[in-house]
Amino acid sequence: MAKNVLVFRQTYLPVSETFIAEHIKNLRSWAPFPICETRVDNNHTDLKESTALISTSKHIGRIERYLLRNRGINRSLSKLVKRVRPSLIHAHFLTDASIVMRFATRHEIPLVATAHGYDASTWDNDLSLTPGGNWFVGRESSNRN
């Protein structure tokens, strides 16, 4: 029986991110449950439409975003965890991992992150200009101190 994995992407799933779509489609030992803060139209028609928004509205709100990033609290995601009972959270991009890091810790779910390029090879000054990058750079700096 396959174990459940939450696959987190902040924005799910830009058409350019075929590598994430392929990852999800080709999992054999894991049952993927994609989760996101916002959903965008894409051409990944071969993926089943079972992505869970971790917000009660179309986009995650300011308070929800703060609670998730800083306290590891998200009501919608907690309900999904109770129902699915994931063995793992897999975040694509380090900036995405920083978003769900506290939630994973709070719920004692192992977190694995895949760096795909810009997030691992960009200078902090440039990374801080990207969505989620500014928060990630700030988290990384505070963890060093």
Side-chain angles (χ1 to χ4, degrees), residues 5-9 33-37 51-56 60 64 67-69 72-86 88-90 96 99-107 109 111:
V5 58
L6 300 179
V7 180
F8 179 71
R9 184 68 184 101
F33 288 83
I35 56 174
C36 65
E37 288 185 335
T51 310
L53 285 168
I54 58 172
S55 174
T56 54
I60 193 166
E64 288 176 304
L67 288 172
L68 178 61
R69 286 166 169 75
I73 298 169
N74 182 279
R75 192 174 303 153
S76 299
L77 189 51
S78 293
K79 287 179 183 178
L80 180 65
V81 164
K82 283 182 182 175
R83 184 172 56 85
V84 172
R85 301 179 54 88
L88 182 70
I89 297 175
H90 180 191
D96 285 3
I99 292 169
V100 294
M101 175 178 60
R102 289 189 185 273
F103 182 88
T105 301
R106 177 181 282 275
H107 291 273
I109 304 170
L111 172 64

Side-chain angles (χ1 to χ4, degrees), residues 43-62:
N43 292 323
H44 301 291
T45 55
D46 47 347
L47 284 178
K48 61 182 179 181
E49 275 302 315
S50 62
T51 310
L53 285 168
I54 58 172
S55 174
T56 54
S57 61
K58 184 176 180 184
H59 299 283
I60 193 166
R62 182 177 287 153

